[in-house]
Amino acid sequence: MNFNSRLFDRIRIGPSEAEEVVEADARHCDHPGCAKAGEFRAPMGRGKEGKFFQFCLEHVKAYNATYNYFAGMNDEALAAYAKQEEIGHRPTWKLGVNASAARMAQRGRVTGGQEGAEVEDAFGLFRGRIRREQERPESRVGVVAKKALETLDLDESADRVAIKARYKELVKRFHPDANGGDRSREGRLQEILKAYQTLKSSGLA
């Protein structure tokens, strides 16, 4: 094949259909009176998220220089927006609130107030657990204070005098001065001191 033939010089390739569609669909600048191509997007503003103007380079620069998303909002609206921004503008519920759980609790109150009253226990599978829960004495101390008492080898029934006496006994036992300067048990001493401070803060010692 001779590529230098004059026949090749006469071949003219017209624009493809795809190019013609792009040419026809090309959007003009949205600025009034501008006939240039709108190649650059600019957001329409608050309340029209996801919608854009199409501007030419000159007019998109001018638009961006004066664009203010919060234009027209008063101080209260700005404060509300800032609060919603902390959670990404997603709906939230109060901690621990669950619609189905709330309905079940309401049904329990209506049917006698006992949790799980609407559940039928035909075989008595849960009677033992319910009885143990009803018979279990209510704790007079919190979880942190209970752990502190356990550190001092005491239970919840210990009063202020017993706690103080136990504290003094353990400090004397584990203090380095009482062990010939041996600091190997100093970690245990620190636990005792911290536990006693916790009990004092809780008003138990």
Side-chain angles (χ1 to χ4, degrees):
M1 182 179 292
N2 183 8
F3 290 102
N4 296 319
S5 172
R6 285 178 296 176
L7 294 174
F8 285 102
D9 295 337
R10 297 176 184 173
I11 298 175
R12 295 288 181 267
I13 301 175
S16 66
E17 291 182 8
E19 289 173 338
E20 289 177 356
V21 170
V22 170
E23 187 91 14
D25 290 346
R27 184 169 172 178
H28 291 293
C29 177
D30 285 328
H31 190 273
C34 182
K36 295 180 182 178
E39 302 177 62
F40 305 95
R41 295 198 315 173
M44 287 189 175
R46 182 163 42 87
K48 296 182 179 179
E49 286 79 1
K51 296 182 179 180
F52 300 90
F53 292 114
Q54 296 287 140
F55 289 122
C56 64
L57 181 60
E58 177 188 352
H59 290 125
V60 79
K61 286 181 178 179
Y63 181 83
N64 288 339
T66 59
Y67 178 75
N68 181 5
Y69 182 81
F70 302 103
M73 293 178 71
N74 57 27
D75 292 343
E76 292 180 4
L78 285 170
Y81 183 91
K83 188 174 182 181
Q84 287 295 316
E85 184 67 21
E86 296 175 0
I87 55 172
H89 301 275
R90 293 186 297 270
T92 59
W93 297 266
K94 290 182 179 179
L95 187 64
V97 172
N98 180 289
S100 60
R103 286 195 298 270
M104 289 180 68
Q106 182 63 31
R107 282 202 301 272
R109 283 193 290 271
V110 171
T111 55
Q114 183 180 353
E115 185 181 354
E118 69 278 4
V119 179
E120 293 184 9
D121 186 16
F123 298 101
L125 298 175
F126 303 106
R127 287 177 194 158
R129 190 183 71 179
I130 294 172
R131 191 182 305 112
R132 285 194 300 273
E133 289 177 355
Q134 290 173 345
E135 294 173 354
R136 184 184 302 159
E138 189 175 341
S139 176
R140 71 183 184 93
V141 298
V143 176
V144 177
K146 185 177 180 181
K147 189 173 178 64
L149 286 169
E150 290 173 357
T151 303
L152 300 180
D153 298 325
L154 295 170
D155 58 23
E156 297 179 31
S157 63
D159 59 5
R160 192 184 301 266
V161 176
I163 292 172
K164 194 168 186 179
R166 183 62 173 165
Y167 167 70
K168 288 182 177 180
E169 176 193 343
L170 293 173
V171 167
K172 287 179 182 178
R173 184 192 304 175
F174 292 105
H175 198 280
D177 293 346
N179 294 287
D182 181 14
R183 294 183 174 274
S184 62
R185 308 175 88 179
E186 197 168 358
R188 172 67 172 144
L189 178 63
Q190 292 299 325
E191 291 177 3
I192 293 165
L193 295 173
K194 187 177 179 181
Y196 186 69
Q197 288 301 321
T198 299
L199 293 171
K200 283 185 71 174
S201 300
S202 303
L204 297 174

